């Protein structure tokens, strides 16, 4: 089954074709992402209306480009999957409208995909994919969640952030130290040159039981340290390193606990912060020491992309799940309400 995937939930337009007939990572026939970062940079954050308008401009050319790279025509598609939420409502509607129209014209089934399920399943697109049950750490700009994955589509929330998401904490901390939006990846790059231990920040909520997170206090600690420092480039790098180590350690401690609680040694990590090198190394290390493994998507598939939507959609469409032709999106959407993929009776979603 060849499925076109469309992602427009925030500030990236992503398109991909996933072919379930091809083995492992070969299933991803082509994918392309257009990032709106430059458009939003001068405002210091995503401007929803500008995001929607840019998706309108970029989506169809990107669909044509992706099909050409996959050496396919529109008529070769067997289904269309699009992000139906969570996300910015106007941005979601652009993807949903285009996907629904294409599916209707091509007379193929279409399905709205949960953006976080897309992230969560992205590591399964790689070769030698992990099989449920496992524990997933979802770390993006909007979410920080630990999820027990009992089956594909059967998710139990184990813990989540009470305030800022991990990516949001990276971005806000970077902003405090004068780095341009979105600062997360730049802060991580800066941390490479920082001296470990020069600045020591707390590991929030690790001194008590539980799997929830809180990152907003860490951001305040950095703000105070930066304010009271000489604000040199060396100090900026040292603080970046101290902050990154605090976030990575905190995530790693909670992942260990979640694996213990779920009785699993397989950890799947997804979402933009999953591209962070130090987090990847640390989680490989802790999973390896338990005799298990940590599975990540390749870094370019950690951040928002159409491939994860094509893949998650293909699994559900293949299981017979699809929806009527109405254009619906769900800006706020709890992943635990999704139907299991292997369920015998496919249900209409939403
Ligand atoms: O998954 P994603 O692309 O978008 C959302 O669904 O939110 O995640 C974006 C987030 C941003 O906050 C960005 O700063 C963060 O992921 N991020 C990183 C790195 N690359 C992206 N954070 C730390 N280290 C990185 N290398
Ligand atoms: Zn995302």
């Amino acid at each position: 089954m060849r499925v076109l995937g469309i992602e427009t939930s925030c500030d990236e337009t992503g398109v991909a074709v996933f072919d379930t007939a091809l083995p492992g990572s070969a299933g991803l026939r082509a994918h392309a992402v257009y990032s709106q970062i430059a458009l939003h940079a001068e405002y210091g954050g995503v401007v929803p209306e500008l995001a929607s308008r840019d998706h309108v401009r970029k989506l169809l050319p990107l669909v044509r480009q992706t099909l050409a790279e996959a050496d396919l025509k529109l008529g070769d598609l067997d289904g269309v999957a699009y992000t139906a939420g969570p996300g910015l409502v106007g941005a979601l509607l652009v993807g949903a409208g285009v996907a629904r129209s294409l599916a209707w014209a091509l007379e193929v089934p279409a399905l709205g995909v949960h953006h976080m399920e897309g992230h969560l399943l992205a590591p399964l697109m790689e070769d030698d994919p992990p099989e449920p049950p496992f524990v997933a750490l979802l770390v993006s700009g909007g979410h920080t969640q630990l999820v027990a994955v009992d089956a594909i589509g059967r998710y139990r929330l184990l813990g989540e952030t009470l305030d800022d998401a991990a990516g949001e904490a990276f971005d806000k901390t970077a902003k405090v130290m004068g780095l341009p939006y979105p600062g997360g990846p730049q802060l991580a790059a800066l941390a490479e040159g920082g001296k470990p231990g020069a600045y020591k920040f707390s590991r929030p909520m690790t001194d008590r039981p539980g799997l929830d997170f809180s990152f907003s206090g860490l951001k305040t600690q950095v703000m105070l340290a930066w304010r009271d420092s000489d604000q040199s480039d060396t100090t900026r790098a040292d603080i970046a390193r101290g902050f990154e180590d605090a976030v990575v350690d905190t995530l790693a401690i909670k992942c260990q606990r979640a694996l213990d609680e779920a009785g699993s040694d397989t950890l799947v990590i997804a979402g933009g912060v999953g591209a962070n090198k130090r987090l990847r190394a640390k989680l490989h290390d802790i999973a390896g020491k338990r005799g298990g493994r940590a599975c990540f998507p390749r870094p370019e598939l950690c951040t928002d992309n159409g491939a994860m939507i094509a893949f998650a959609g293909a699994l559900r469409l293949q299981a017979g799940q699809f929806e009527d032709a109405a254009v619906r999106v769900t800006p706020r959407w709890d992943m635990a309400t999704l139907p299991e993929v292997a369920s015998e009776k496919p249900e209409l979603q939403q």
Side-chain angles (χ1 to χ4, degrees), residues 18 26 36:
F18 192 88
Q36 302 180 354

Side-chain angles (χ1 to χ4, degrees), residues 44-64:
V46 178
V47 183
E49 182 56 24
L50 293 184
S52 313
R53 291 176 191 207
D54 211 43
H55 287 307
V56 170
R57 277 190 287 270
K58 297 296 176 349
L59 185 51
L60 282 176
L62 216 55
V63 168
R64 287 195 197 97

Side-chain angles (χ1 to χ4, degrees), residues 84-86 112-115 143 330-335 337-338 349-350:
V113 171
H114 193 294
H115 180 83
H143 292 78
T330 313
R332 294 172 72 85
W333 193 359
D334 180 357
M335 203 164 61
T337 61
L338 294 174
Q349 288 190 329
Q350 295 167 17

Side-chain angles (χ1 to χ4, degrees), residues 98-176:
V98 168
R100 280 275 153 219
S101 313
L102 270 177
W104 187 78
L106 297 171
E107 297 184 24
V108 296
L111 181 77
V113 171
H114 193 294
H115 180 83
M116 296 313 291
E117 181 179 54
H119 274 304
L120 192 156
L121 297 178
L124 277 62
M125 260 187 288
E126 304 295 356
D127 293 322
D128 190 19
E131 275 179 29
F134 53 70
V135 171
L137 171 70
L138 301 178
V139 269
S140 71
H143 292 78
T144 300
Q145 297 184 330
L146 276 162
V147 177
V149 178
D150 299 323
I152 294 179
R154 187 136 50 88
Y155 308 122
R156 275 182 298 123
L157 184 66
L158 299 174
E160 66 182 334
T161 184
L162 304 178
D163 41 58
D164 292 350
E168 190 180 358
F170 263 92
D171 295 337
K172 287 181 174 172
T173 301
K175 197 171 181 176
V176 161

Side-chain angles (χ1 to χ4, degrees), residues 9-12 115-116 119 139-143 166-171 182-186 188-189 244 270-277 302-305 308:
S9 67
C10 190
D11 58 347
E12 255 106 29
H115 180 83
M116 296 313 291
H119 274 304
V139 269
S140 71
H143 292 78
E168 190 180 358
F170 263 92
D171 295 337
Q186 295 188 51
E244 186 181 61
V273 185
N276 184 276
K277 278 191 208 148
C302 283
T303 45
D304 289 350
N305 63 83
M308 66 187 198

